[in-house]
Amino acid sequence: MISTSARLLRLVSLLSTRPTWTCRELAERMAVTDRTVRRDIARLRELGYGIESDPGPWGGYRLGGGTRVPPLILDDEEAFAVAVALREAALSGVLGSDQAALSALLKLRQVLPPRIAGRLGEMDATFVHTPRPEGSQISPGVLRELAAVCRRGEITRLSYRDHAGKDTVRDVAPYRLVHTGRRWYFVAQDIAREQWRTFRADRVVQVQPTGRTVELVDPPDPALLVSRSIAGVVYPLYVTVRLAHPMDQALQLVPPTIGTHHPDGPDTTIVEIGGNDADQLVTYLLSLGTRLRVLSPDSVREALLRRTRHLFEDNRDSQPR
């Protein structure tokens, strides 16, 4: 089932291709119920999108002219770039909630020239997004507050809930927000402990600026700090492998958020990767699709040999059984 955001974008694209559509026609094209179409039309109207309708069984929906969006001084490429960025923000949930990005996108599309709207329609018809990762999403309000205190360099009283559900309150010196492609992380210095910390932004309960600013001395690389923090999660089992690739290529195969890397000469790299059990680690190693040697532990090496032997036996005959 496609997401609501993707469905609304698809609905707008269909409405723009013909002067009018009946509810039944839209439902069939989108593979949803008539009720879903009516609900989506109502949501588009709430977002300020002009959609007109005619009553009766043979009535239909059509796009109306925009009245609440002022003209934008953008050339074609600028308008297309802004629209694509808003589309990705709405579909990926990078801002936690898709409401603001989706609303802005629909309003922008209402005033775009047909040549640009047509290019976006082509994207809607051909691009497919995988489902968002499970888990809590950051509140856009909290994201704005964290960005503001980082920009001002203002000491902040942070209410935070850790992975065990325990609430803590601490004073921090904000530095940067880092997005990994899946989550937002807040990088700050814990003032009492004089330590640099990373906080999952979706676990921030409250942000209270104190009005006191601080000048940070020799701050770390925030992206590297977050990568090391994620890779430093304690797992029940670790595997050490030698990859037949130099360090730069090994980092592309196994991101620093997944493993820790050490060069082993000019052409090979030692990588340590954590997992829940041997089978999970073997599945990941096979997914790399490259030559490697398991250095330790024996349990992962044996599990890898068993898996590859089974694959060999299942595929050794030229004719299917």
Side-chain angles (χ1 to χ4, degrees):
M1 181 180 294
I2 63 175
S3 68
T4 301
S5 298
R7 197 175 62 241
L8 291 180
L9 292 173
R10 174 64 175 156
L11 178 56
V12 171
S13 296
L14 288 174
L15 289 171
S16 65
T17 60
R18 280 174 33 183
T20 184
W21 289 81
T22 67
C23 184
R24 170 49 41 190
E25 289 173 331
L26 290 171
E28 291 176 352
R29 289 293 294 272
M30 298 176 64
V32 297
T33 64
D34 292 8
R35 181 181 179 183
T36 297
V37 171
R38 289 192 292 269
R39 186 168 59 244
D40 286 348
I41 291 290
R43 188 178 180 195
L44 289 175
R45 287 169 171 165
E46 290 173 358
L47 293 172
Y49 210 76
I51 299 179
E52 300 172 355
S53 59
D54 296 318
W58 304 108
Y61 295 106
R62 60 179 178 273
L63 291 178
T67 59
R68 290 191 287 173
V69 181
L72 298 177
I73 307 175
L74 299 172
D75 62 27
D76 284 8
E77 294 303 316
E78 291 171 337
F80 184 70
V82 171
V84 169
L86 289 171
R87 181 186 185 281
E88 292 305 298
L91 292 176
S92 67
V94 66
L95 300 178
S97 167
D98 60 11
Q99 180 73 19
L102 180 62
S103 176
L105 174 60
L106 294 178
K107 290 178 180 180
L108 176 62
R109 290 183 67 153
Q110 197 168 0
V111 297
L112 287 176
R115 59 185 178 277
I116 302 178
R119 292 170 65 186
L120 290 174
E122 293 172 356
M123 293 179 61
D124 295 337
T126 57
F127 281 19
V128 177
H129 274 247
T130 57
R132 298 181 191 176
E134 297 295 329
S136 57
Q137 297 289 333
I138 183 175
S139 160
V142 169
L143 190 62
R144 287 194 302 270
E145 291 175 350
L146 292 175
V149 294
C150 286
R151 186 183 67 251
R152 296 194 300 263
E154 185 174 358
I155 294 176
T156 300
R157 184 150 295 163
L158 192 72
S159 299
Y160 186 74
R161 182 169 296 126
D162 64 19
H163 67 281
K166 180 182 178 181
D167 290 342
T168 60
V169 178
R170 65 194 80 189
D171 288 345
V172 299
Y175 182 45
R176 291 291 186 270
L177 282 166
V178 176
H179 190 250
T180 64
R182 181 181 178 185
R183 290 191 176 98
W184 285 99
Y185 287 85
F186 175 51
V187 177
Q189 187 179 52
D190 188 314
I191 294 177
R193 301 178 181 177
E194 297 184 348
Q195 294 178 343
W196 284 98
R197 292 287 311 278
T198 62
F199 303 90
R200 268 183 48 177
D202 57 288
R203 291 177 178 165
V204 173
V205 179
Q206 189 175 19
V207 181
Q208 292 181 285
T210 63
R212 295 179 289 131
T213 59
V214 62
E215 186 173 345
L216 298 172
V217 179
D218 194 22
D221 181 325
L224 182 60
L225 187 66
V226 169
S227 295
R228 288 176 175 172
S229 174
I230 296 173
V233 174
V234 178
Y235 288 99
L237 184 64
Y238 287 85
V239 61
T240 303
V241 300
R242 178 185 290 116
L243 298 181
H245 297 279
M247 185 77 164
D248 58 341
Q249 295 179 15
L251 284 167
Q252 295 179 11
L253 277 173
V254 182
T257 55
I258 301 296
T260 56
H261 302 65
H262 305 284
D264 183 43
D267 299 319
T268 56
T269 305
I270 304 296
V271 184
E272 185 180 54
I273 304 167
N276 294 321
D277 53 50
D279 285 336
Q280 182 189 58
L281 288 169
V282 166
T283 299
Y284 180 77
L285 294 177
L286 290 174
S287 73
L288 298 177
T290 189
R291 292 180 57 191
L292 58 87
R293 180 176 182 83
V294 175
L295 302 180
S296 67
D298 292 339
S299 61
V300 176
R301 184 186 303 109
E302 292 166 0
L304 178 63
L305 292 173
R306 282 196 302 270
R307 184 82 65 86
T308 53
R309 277 198 297 266
H310 292 161
L311 288 172
F312 176 77
E313 292 296 333
D314 291 341
N315 293 275
R316 66 185 303 178
D317 296 335
S318 59
Q319 297 296 326
R321 296 178 181 177

